[in-house]
Amino acid sequence: MVLKLYEKGITTREIADLIEKMYGSHYCATTISNMTQVVEGQVAAFHKRHFTESSFVCLFIDATYLPLRRKTVEREAVYIAIGITASGDKQILDYQIVPTENGEVWSELLGGLVKRGISNVQLVVADGMVGLESALERSCPQAKFQRCLVHMSRNIFKKYVLVTGRPLCLNSSRSIKQRQNLRHKRLWPPLLRTGHLTILE
């Protein structure tokens, strides 16, 4: 329980107070801190692990903002890299947390993966993020780059589709992508006729 609360960003003093109120047992903040050092050791080992057999042919990389507690709770950028093997297996390779999104983080993250054994990546899938292109040229020059279709669809629908029609358009878009036969593109005309798909000026 202590570790779960700590992972959620609860301070050691707050955890000690919660345990005392719930179970009647008192733990000082120092004791809680000693318990949480187990997690910190696991995190450090995760960031340093070496990939002896790099079988990842594709990297999916992205950044998202999550509320994190330091002195106060602020939303910070979490950069993450996921490796995908030729058989489709996925594994989180590494992540970094920084206050704001910037290109140097991608260089550090990707460069670190290469030093730890990630090589022969053939494809990188990501959104058009700041500084990513130059970071890829330095760390994965052999890899081709593909814009993430999910991000691309969201950007297009946000700009050109009315709010009420976005769920239907997203579902239809997924259906089209999953079908190999191009004749299924006929799904789009009904959307235009119903007024769900509207080009906004």
Side-chain angles (χ1 to χ4, degrees):
M1 176 181 174
V2 171
L3 298 182
K4 289 294 183 182
L5 291 172
Y6 184 70
E7 290 172 357
K8 295 294 184 181
I10 310 299
T11 66
T12 55
R13 189 171 300 279
E14 289 172 337
I15 293 173
D17 292 340
L18 284 170
I19 291 177
E20 185 172 7
K21 290 177 181 178
M22 294 174 64
Y23 302 107
S25 300
H26 176 72
Y27 290 91
C28 66
T30 302
T31 301
I32 300 297
S33 180
N34 291 336
M35 294 180 182
T36 58
Q37 287 179 4
V38 175
V39 175
E40 294 176 356
Q42 293 174 345
V43 171
F46 177 84
H47 287 302
K48 294 178 181 178
R49 75 194 194 285
H50 189 77
F51 303 94
T52 53
E53 295 183 5
S54 178
S55 57
F56 301 104
V57 296
C58 176
L59 289 182
F60 178 83
I61 52 182
D62 198 9
T64 187
Y65 282 82
L66 298 175
L68 300 176
R69 178 191 293 274
R70 296 189 189 275
K71 291 183 178 180
T72 59
V73 177
E74 300 287 347
R75 294 178 65 84
E76 297 189 17
V78 180
Y79 294 72
I80 188 168
I82 298 175
I84 306 175
T85 65
S87 59
D89 295 327
K90 302 178 182 67
Q91 181 180 337
I92 297 176
L93 303 179
D94 205 359
Y95 68 90
Q96 286 194 23
I97 301 174
V98 294
T100 57
E101 187 175 346
N102 64 79
E104 291 301 320
V105 179
W106 288 123
S107 296
E108 184 177 343
L109 181 62
L110 293 172
L113 291 176
V114 172
K115 290 179 181 178
R116 288 156 54 197
I118 297 296
S119 60
N120 299 321
V121 174
Q122 301 301 310
L123 178 67
V124 176
V125 180
D127 195 14
M129 292 170 286
V130 177
L132 179 58
E133 185 175 350
S134 58
L136 288 174
E137 289 177 355
R138 289 191 294 270
S139 301
C140 305
Q142 77 286 351
K144 295 185 180 298
F145 176 77
Q146 176 180 305
R147 286 288 300 273
C148 174
L149 294 179
V150 173
H151 287 92
M152 189 182 300
S153 298
R154 288 174 180 170
N155 293 338
I156 291 174
F157 293 149
K158 184 177 181 180
K159 185 174 182 180
Y160 296 112
V161 181
L162 298 176
V163 175
T164 54
R166 288 174 189 172
L168 178 59
C169 288
L170 283 170
N171 290 334
S172 297
S173 176
R174 294 190 189 102
S175 177
I176 292 171
K177 292 170 188 172
Q178 292 170 357
R179 297 178 186 272
Q180 296 180 356
N181 197 327
L182 295 179
R183 71 172 182 271
H184 288 91
K185 287 185 177 180
R186 68 175 184 271
L187 290 171
W188 286 106
L191 295 177
L192 288 168
R193 288 197 296 270
T194 58
H196 287 300
L197 183 61
T198 303
I199 302 300
L200 303 179
E201 299 296 337

